[in-house]
PDB file of all heavy atoms in Angstrom:
ATOM      1  N   ALA A 272      11.662   3.065  26.713  1.00 61.00           N
ATOM      2  CA  ALA A 272      10.294   2.768  26.304  1.00 61.00           C
ATOM      3  C   ALA A 272       9.966   3.384  24.952  1.00 61.00           C
ATOM      4  O   ALA A 272       9.063   2.918  24.255  1.00 61.00           O
ATOM      5  CB  ALA A 272       9.306   3.268  27.347  1.00 61.00           C
ATOM      6  N   GLU A 273      10.684   4.409  24.560  1.00 61.00           N
ATOM      7  CA  GLU A 273      10.406   5.078  23.291  1.00 61.00           C
ATOM      8  C   GLU A 273      11.220   4.505  22.131  1.00 61.00           C
ATOM      9  O   GLU A 273      11.033   4.906  20.995  1.00 61.00           O
ATOM     10  CB  GLU A 273      10.692   6.573  23.427  1.00 61.00           C
ATOM     11  CG  GLU A 273       9.738   7.275  24.366  1.00 61.00           C
ATOM     12  CD  GLU A 273      10.098   8.725  24.558  1.00 61.00           C
ATOM     13  OE1 GLU A 273      11.165   9.152  24.064  1.00 61.00           O
ATOM     14  OE2 GLU A 273       9.322   9.433  25.194  1.00 61.00           O
ATOM     15  N   ASP A 274      12.138   3.584  22.416  1.00 62.00           N
ATOM     16  CA  ASP A 274      12.954   2.992  21.359  1.00 62.00           C
ATOM     17  C   ASP A 274      12.104   2.148  20.422  1.00 62.00           C
ATOM     18  O   ASP A 274      11.120   1.534  20.832  1.00 62.00           O
ATOM     19  CB  ASP A 274      14.050   2.108  21.949  1.00 62.00           C
ATOM     20  CG  ASP A 274      15.190   2.926  22.532  1.00 62.00           C
ATOM     21  OD1 ASP A 274      15.250   4.132  22.243  1.00 62.00           O
ATOM     22  OD2 ASP A 274      16.006   2.350  23.279  1.00 62.00           O
ATOM     23  N   ALA A 275      12.530   2.098  19.166  1.00 61.00           N
ATOM     24  CA  ALA A 275      11.843   1.257  18.186  1.00 61.00           C
ATOM     25  C   ALA A 275      12.085  -0.206  18.528  1.00 61.00           C
ATOM     26  O   ALA A 275      13.168  -0.588  18.955  1.00 61.00           O
ATOM     27  CB  ALA A 275      12.354   1.566  16.789  1.00 61.00           C
ATOM     28  N   TYR A 276      11.077  -1.029  18.339  1.00 61.00           N
ATOM     29  CA  TYR A 276      11.151  -2.442  18.693  1.00 61.00           C
ATOM     30  C   TYR A 276      10.424  -3.244  17.637  1.00 61.00           C
ATOM     31  O   TYR A 276       9.266  -2.985  17.349  1.00 61.00           O
ATOM     32  CB  TYR A 276      10.500  -2.640  20.065  1.00 61.00           C
ATOM     33  CG  TYR A 276      10.705  -3.994  20.662  1.00 61.00           C
ATOM     34  CD1 TYR A 276      11.905  -4.347  21.236  1.00 61.00           C
ATOM     35  CD2 TYR A 276       9.679  -4.928  20.658  1.00 61.00           C
ATOM     36  CE1 TYR A 276      12.095  -5.583  21.812  1.00 61.00           C
ATOM     37  CE2 TYR A 276       9.852  -6.176  21.225  1.00 61.00           C
ATOM     38  CZ  TYR A 276      11.066  -6.493  21.802  1.00 61.00           C
ATOM     39  OH  TYR A 276      11.245  -7.713  22.363  1.00 61.00           O
ATOM     40  N   GLU A 277      11.123  -4.206  17.037  1.00 59.00           N
ATOM     41  CA  GLU A 277      10.497  -4.962  15.964  1.00 59.00           C
ATOM     42  C   GLU A 277      10.989  -6.394  16.002  1.00 59.00           C
ATOM     43  O   GLU A 277      12.182  -6.642  16.156  1.00 59.00           O
ATOM     44  CB  GLU A 277      10.845  -4.328  14.620  1.00 59.00           C
ATOM     45  CG  GLU A 277      10.191  -5.008  13.465  1.00 59.00           C
ATOM     46  CD  GLU A 277      10.481  -4.309  12.156  1.00 59.00           C
ATOM     47  OE1 GLU A 277      10.755  -3.116  12.166  1.00 59.00           O
ATOM     48  OE2 GLU A 277      10.443  -4.994  11.141  1.00 59.00           O
ATOM     49  N   SER A 278      10.091  -7.328  15.891  1.00 61.00           N
ATOM     50  CA  SER A 278      10.395  -8.754  15.827  1.00 61.00           C
ATOM     51  C   SER A 278      11.184  -9.248  17.029  1.00 61.00           C
ATOM     52  O   SER A 278      12.017 -10.132  16.914  1.00 61.00           O
ATOM     53  CB  SER A 278      11.166  -9.076  14.552  1.00 61.00           C
ATOM     54  OG  SER A 278      10.425  -8.701  13.422  1.00 61.00           O
ATOM     55  N   GLY A 279      10.965  -8.660  18.180  1.00 60.00           N
ATOM     56  CA  GLY A 279      11.627  -9.114  19.393  1.00 60.00           C
ATOM     57  C   GLY A 279      13.042  -8.614  19.567  1.00 60.00           C
ATOM     58  O   GLY A 279      13.704  -8.955  20.529  1.00 60.00           O
ATOM     59  N   LEU A 280      13.534  -7.791  18.630  1.00 59.00           N
ATOM     60  CA  LEU A 280      14.892  -7.266  18.727  1.00 59.00           C
ATOM     61  C   LEU A 280      14.869  -5.751  18.632  1.00 59.00           C
ATOM     62  O   LEU A 280      14.060  -5.183  17.894  1.00 59.00           O
ATOM     63  CB  LEU A 280      15.762  -7.821  17.594  1.00 59.00           C
ATOM     64  CG  LEU A 280      15.938  -9.335  17.568  1.00 59.00           C
ATOM     65  CD1 LEU A 280      16.620  -9.753  16.288  1.00 59.00           C
ATOM     66  CD2 LEU A 280      16.721  -9.791  18.779  1.00 59.00           C
ATOM     67  N   PRO A 281      15.749  -5.088  19.365  1.00 58.00           N
ATOM     68  CA  PRO A 281      15.821  -3.623  19.220  1.00 58.00           C
ATOM     69  C   PRO A 281      16.257  -3.258  17.810  1.00 58.00           C
ATOM     70  O   PRO A 281      17.011  -3.981  17.171  1.00 58.00           O
ATOM     71  CB  PRO A 281      16.871  -3.200  20.240  1.00 58.00           C
ATOM     72  CG  PRO A 281      17.160  -4.394  21.065  1.00 58.00           C
ATOM     73  CD  PRO A 281      16.652  -5.597  20.368  1.00 58.00           C
TER      74      PRO A 281
END
Side-chain angles (χ1 to χ4, degrees):
E273 293 176 353
D274 284 346
Y276 190 77
E277 183 176 335
S278 301
L280 299 171

